[in-house]
Amino acid sequence: MGRLTGKVALVTGGARGIGRGIAELFAAHGAAVTAVDVLDPAAPEGPADPAPRDGTGTLEHGRLDVTDERGWAETVAGVEERHGRLDILVNNAGVGSYEAVHELAPDEWQRVLGVNQTGVYLGMRAAIPALRRSGGGSIINISSIYGAAAVPGSLAYQATKGAVRSMTRNAAVTYAPDNIRANAVLPGWIRTPMTLAQTREFNDAVIASTPLGRGAEPLDIAHGCVYLASDESSYVTGTDLVIDGGFLAR
């Protein structure tokens, strides 16, 4: 039996990259997964070592702009209508930004804030009533190593990823009486369309600063998220799960 059999999950930014890896591995572990994105899903990526399927896991794709409050309400209502409940929310959707303070235009600040921080707020706001109706559940918010450590430039990205950690801790202590757990995941350098669009020099510098000496794949993050979504982590809330090859331990 899969570790998420019988659970219903909603994953944002699920068309590719980390979100796609999480959605696929959740389904492999028996969850009924709805993966939403503003992009159309790429061809199935498939984890390198998927869990044995128990026949109950499903994966469906939908469209959602995480900055759209009404879209969130409709998405959560649709999940409950199709599956009768919601047990897991993964706020993964995010965008990058590289400008320093003196270079950062207000419009770019608002764009990054809207997706990376307001999107997480709207997601939790829409999902928490559904999680309450299910008797509890797990919220997993994807932050970043740059929510805990500085890098030159990238003000908006760092600000939002740091905020996600604080928002996660707040949700953990606020909704613990409802049996709703909230945890943040801090990935290091992961091979995704976002990181591959960065300059080679930037990527090489991050990997060179990683004690394990390499980057990782979306599956490495997905495995951690399976743990946080499962009943195995029933006493884990309000914390950061760092999956970074040792970057933050330097």
Side-chain angles (χ1 to χ4, degrees), residues 64-83:
L64 173 65
D65 177 347
V66 296
T67 68
D68 179 3
E69 181 181 0
R70 181 175 178 178
W72 266 112
E74 293 173 349
T75 296
V76 171
V79 170
E80 287 192 292
E81 181 179 350
R82 292 190 301 276
H83 301 289

Side-chain angles (χ1 to χ4, degrees), residues 5-22:
T5 298
K7 296 187 182 297
V8 177
L10 174 60
V11 181
T12 70
R16 59 201 66 201
I18 290 174
R20 184 61 177 263
I22 292 169

Side-chain angles (χ1 to χ4, degrees), residues 143-155 157-159 161-162 165 186-187 240 242 244 247-250:
S143 178
S144 167
I145 52 174
Y146 293 134
V151 62
S154 297
L155 172 76
Y157 185 78
Q158 285 195 247
K161 291 303 184 178
R165 297 176 65 207
L186 278 61
D240 296 331
V242 179
D244 70 347
F247 184 94
L248 291 178
R250 297 171 304 159

Side-chain angles (χ1 to χ4, degrees), residues 1-247:
M1 181 178 291
R3 294 160 69 189
L4 301 178
T5 298
K7 296 187 182 297
V8 177
L10 174 60
V11 181
T12 70
R16 59 201 66 201
I18 290 174
R20 184 61 177 263
I22 292 169
E24 290 180 348
L25 195 61
F26 276 16
H29 274 285
V33 183
T34 299
V36 292
D37 207 311
V38 294
L39 302 173
D40 293 326
E45 297 172 9
D49 56 344
R53 290 187 176 272
D54 63 3
T56 64
T58 59
L59 173 57
E60 58 189 5
H61 289 273
R63 186 169 292 273
L64 173 65
D65 177 347
V66 296
T67 68
D68 179 3
E69 181 181 0
R70 181 175 178 178
W72 266 112
E74 293 173 349
T75 296
V76 171
V79 170
E80 287 192 292
E81 181 179 350
R82 292 190 301 276
H83 301 289
R85 59 188 297 117
L86 177 66
D87 303 290
I88 304 158
L89 170 67
V90 181
N91 280 310
N92 165 76
V95 294
S97 180
Y98 304 94
E99 291 84 358
V101 177
H102 72 285
E103 302 169 320
L104 183 64
D107 286 350
E108 175 68 357
W109 167 262
Q110 292 296 338
R111 181 185 76 90
V112 178
L113 190 75
V115 175
N116 293 4
Q117 184 174 349
T118 303
V120 171
Y121 150 71
L122 291 174
M124 292 196 293
R125 185 173 184 269
I128 283 168
L131 296 173
R132 281 173 161 166
R133 288 189 286 271
S134 298
S138 175
I139 297 171
I140 303 168
N141 294 327
I142 306 300
S143 178
S144 167
I145 52 174
Y146 293 134
V151 62
S154 297
L155 172 76
Y157 185 78
Q158 285 195 247
T160 56
K161 291 303 184 178
V164 165
R165 297 176 65 207
S166 294
M167 293 164 65
T168 302
R169 292 192 293 270
N170 179 273
V173 300
T174 302
Y175 299 103
D178 298 301
N179 195 34
I180 295 172
R181 298 180 296 106
N183 294 284
V185 175
L186 278 61
W189 193 95
I190 312 299
R191 186 184 305 277
T192 68
M194 181 186 293
T195 57
L196 293 177
Q198 296 169 164
T199 67
R200 181 173 180 177
E201 291 76 17
F202 183 89
N203 288 336
D204 287 348
V206 177
I207 293 171
S209 297
T210 300
L212 285 183
R214 61 178 177 84
E217 301 294 330
L219 183 65
D220 293 293
I221 306 304
H223 280 302
C225 290
V226 168
Y227 167 69
L228 292 176
S230 75
D231 294 337
E232 298 163 15
S233 60
S234 65
Y235 201 56
V236 179
T237 194
T239 193
D240 296 331
L241 176 58
V242 179
I243 308 175
D244 70 347
F247 184 94

